[in-house]
Amino acid sequence: MSPVQWSPQRWRDLPAAQQPEWPDADTLEQVLKELSGLPPLVFAGEARSLIESLAHVAAGEAFLLQAGDCAESFAEFSADDIRDKLKVILQMAVVLTYGAGVPSVKVGRIAGQFAKPRSSPTERVGEIELPAFRGHMVNDDAPDANARIPDPHRLVAAYHQSASTLNLVRAFTKGGFADLSQIHLWNQQFVASSEEGRRFEQIAGEIDRALRFMAACGIDLDAEQSLHQVDFYTSHDALILGYEEALTRMDSLTGQWYDCSAHMLWVGERTRQLDGAHIDFLSGIHNPVGCKIGASTTPAEVLALCERLNPDRIPGRLTLITRMGATAIADALPPLLEAVREEAHPVVWACDPMHGNTFVSEGGRKTRRFDDILAELKGFFSAHRRVGTWPGGVHLELTGGDVTECLGGFDDIVEDQLHERYTTTCDPRLNARQAIDLAFRVAQLLRD
Ligand code: PEP
Ligand code: CO
């Protein structure tokens, strides 16, 4: 660690993995200066509220549902798209809360999830080798060498798209759409006609009856804010550190630094080096932070990450997001759970069952099997049951649309169907039916 006191710039003196090779340093610095003069997207007080909610998760009293796109897109950006994503996350939250009786903390991979770490600096598209697509905040996904040149002006475009996405998210969650009396409207047509949709309708009907019963008992439901509004938080991978630095502001109330680009920031499996720039950056901001943990992570590494990211052991500050793969999790996770419990670090344990289960289909498309996703979740729950720790949450890539990107589920999507509606900008996402199906299964695992 650098001996200099932490500042939002200190990461610049450390090795930073996965940073784009911007063609022109002056333009980049100009853009970052512009960003640092723009208003914050979220407030420090909101980030503190999320820490409080996550503290309940760390204590085993609540469940984290973190979900959204792998990579948000500049091209596919519409009110309908955002609304449909919210619908499915709200539905999943109801299934979890109603089905398992634990409150859910809702965090979107949304309003800022525009940058992607890549395993290789180049990728093959058809016959040609191109610089890798790194998310719309950096370059374009078109299969053309010019489109792949990093353009710093994209950072400003990402900021503005995040602002309008967040504006709509706030309107939907606080302005009546998330009211429990609207619950039937969250069930989209293509979901409602399915088995999962019918199961959801059943819960919705039971909630209706419960509300009518409470009203009949004389309870003033209008006065119960929690029935009419939802707290919904934003998060993304804090990958492009110049962008995150430019949006980091000192909170006037506490004098502490907050990265105001999102409520929660995480670092990925490829950028979590203990002596690297990303961990240093996260160590100084006071937001809730997350760290992805792959199957090869050792107990010593995890403890060192806990010490770096949460030395004061603040419950809710640190979420460890395991992404180990369906087969590896049974052996890889328990020693980490034991080590962290032994040192009494109050972390939230969340399971990302997506990134350890990706493979390329015969037709050349990246995909994941619903059954592998479910198997990793089962492994996560059984590891926690064995060690006696709380399986705190899930971290998923999904969309509200009727895409064909992940295999299996009730519709039993097969490899030949992947091309039909494969629209993701990066990794394969669960469609709304698969997502709700998964929520029912997680609720069952929680009940067990
Ligand atoms: C992601 O969350 O989209 C991602 C790339 O994850 P990881 O860093 O765990 O591979
Ligand atoms: Co992804």
Side-chain angles (χ1 to χ4, degrees):
M1 205 198 323
S2 166
V4 206
Q5 201 197 350
W6 190 90
S7 76
Q9 298 83 37
R10 192 173 77 175
W11 68 270
R12 289 175 180 252
D13 296 329
L14 297 166
Q18 298 280 340
Q19 300 306 287
E21 287 180 23
W22 303 104
D24 171 16
D26 288 344
T27 315
L28 174 66
E29 287 310 317
Q30 249 167 15
V31 162
L32 294 180
K33 188 155 182 271
E34 179 186 346
L35 279 171
S36 62
L38 292 172
L41 293 174
V42 304
F43 294 129
E46 297 174 318
R48 282 194 287 273
S49 303
L50 178 54
I51 291 199
E52 274 173 39
S53 296
L54 290 171
H56 290 294
V57 180
E61 299 154 359
F63 194 74
L64 167 65
L65 173 60
Q66 187 171 17
D69 270 307
C70 176
E72 287 175 273
S73 164
F74 284 3
E76 267 175 50
F77 172 47
S78 70
D80 287 358
D81 186 66
I82 296 164
R83 183 203 56 206
D84 291 347
K85 219 167 289 163
L86 271 176
K87 277 182 179 175
V88 67
I89 296 173
L90 291 175
Q91 284 184 287
M92 292 175 82
V94 162
V95 169
L96 287 166
T97 305
Y98 193 83
V102 275
S104 51
V105 179
K106 293 160 275 296
V107 180
R109 284 175 65 114
I110 200 167
Q113 176 52 24
F114 289 104
K116 297 313 302 168
R118 302 314 298 264
S119 308
S120 160
T122 62
E123 66 191 332
R124 248 196 129 61
V125 185
E127 292 302 294
I128 40 172
E129 188 83 0
L130 289 167
F133 169 57
R134 292 185 176 273
H136 280 164
M137 182 185 258
V138 176
N139 58 7
D140 194 59
D141 53 313
D144 155 30
N146 272 327
R148 298 296 171 94
I149 299 172
D151 175 1
H153 294 105
R154 287 179 167 269
L155 298 171
V156 182
Y159 167 88
H160 287 298
Q161 184 164 321
S162 299
S164 47
T165 302
L166 188 53
N167 181 51
L168 208 57
V169 166
R170 290 190 195 278
F172 278 138
T173 53
K174 301 291 176 189
F177 181 79
D179 193 301
L180 265 186
S181 67
Q182 304 291 308
I183 188 166
H184 298 277
L185 297 179
W186 305 344
N187 217 1
Q188 297 182 72
Q189 190 53 46
F190 83 94
V191 179
S193 60
S194 67
E195 175 63 25
E196 308 87 88
R198 281 187 288 275
R199 284 181 79 187
F200 179 78
E201 264 311 305
Q202 200 180 339
I203 290 187
E206 287 170 24
I207 289 175
D208 275 347
R209 271 198 301 284
L211 291 175
R212 280 199 302 274
F213 172 74
M214 285 192 285
C217 292
I219 296 167
D220 181 3
L221 299 184
D222 288 340
E224 280 303 323
Q225 200 186 306
S226 60
L227 297 176
H228 309 296
Q229 295 189 350
V230 155
D231 288 329
F232 189 92
Y233 297 97
T234 62
S235 69
H236 62 257
D237 186 342
L239 188 75
I240 308 298
L241 289 172
Y243 178 84
E244 304 304 336
E245 174 194 327
L247 284 164
T248 296
R249 312 291 161 85
M250 188 178 277
D251 173 32
S252 53
L253 224 56
T254 59
Q256 291 172 330
W257 293 104
Y258 283 84
D259 182 348
C260 298
S261 70
H263 298 110
M264 176 180 181
L265 285 311
W266 80 82
V267 287
E269 172 71 357
R270 299 166 192 78
T271 48
R272 59 167 180 77
Q273 299 79 10
L274 274 165
D275 49 1
H278 290 84
I279 291 294
D280 189 69
F281 182 79
L282 284 205
S283 75
I285 57 171
H286 284 75
N287 307 56
V289 297
C291 184
K292 293 285 196 90
I293 300 290
S296 61
T297 319
T298 63
E301 263 180 289
V302 171
L303 291 179
L305 284 164
C306 290
E307 281 301 323
R308 269 313 295 284
L309 294 174
N310 194 16
D312 298 331
R313 294 169 199 242
I314 298 162
R317 151 79 178 166
L318 177 60
T319 298
L320 295 175
I321 307 159
T322 61
R323 32 89 79 222
M324 303 185 152
T327 42
I329 190 165
D331 291 332
L333 185 55
L336 307 185
L337 300 180
E338 280 159 7
V340 171
R341 189 193 47 192
E342 204 64 20
E343 293 299 314
H345 270 288
V347 306
V348 170
W349 287 105
C351 177
D352 165 358
M354 315 297 293
H355 290 90
N357 296 308
T358 318
F359 67 98
V360 179
S361 72
E362 300 228 332
R365 290 187 190 269
K366 256 207 261 184
T367 189
R368 293 158 175 158
R369 287 194 185 87
F370 185 87
D371 287 348
D372 292 341
I373 293 168
L374 186 59
E376 180 157 355
L377 283 166
K378 284 182 177 165
F380 177 76
F381 276 85
S382 75
H384 279 282
R385 206 170 303 129
R386 243 184 307 149
V387 178
T389 41
W390 175 241
V394 289
H395 182 115
L396 304 170
E397 290 183 342
L398 55 75
T399 170
D402 189 12
V403 300
T404 52
E405 298 172 6
C406 290
L407 302 168
F410 265 117
D411 287 340
D412 200 16
I413 296 172
V414 295
E415 292 206 14
D416 282 348
Q417 287 171 293
L418 286 178
H419 71 278
E420 289 175 8
R421 291 179 302 283
Y422 193 98
T423 56
T424 184
T425 343
C426 193
D427 289 343
R429 304 160 297 177
L430 296 166
N431 65 33
R433 285 182 180 184
Q434 291 169 326
I436 292 164
D437 186 358
L438 201 69
F440 277 109
R441 292 166 191 262
V442 171
Q444 181 66 46
L445 288 169
L446 270 166
R447 269 201 305 272
D448 291 345

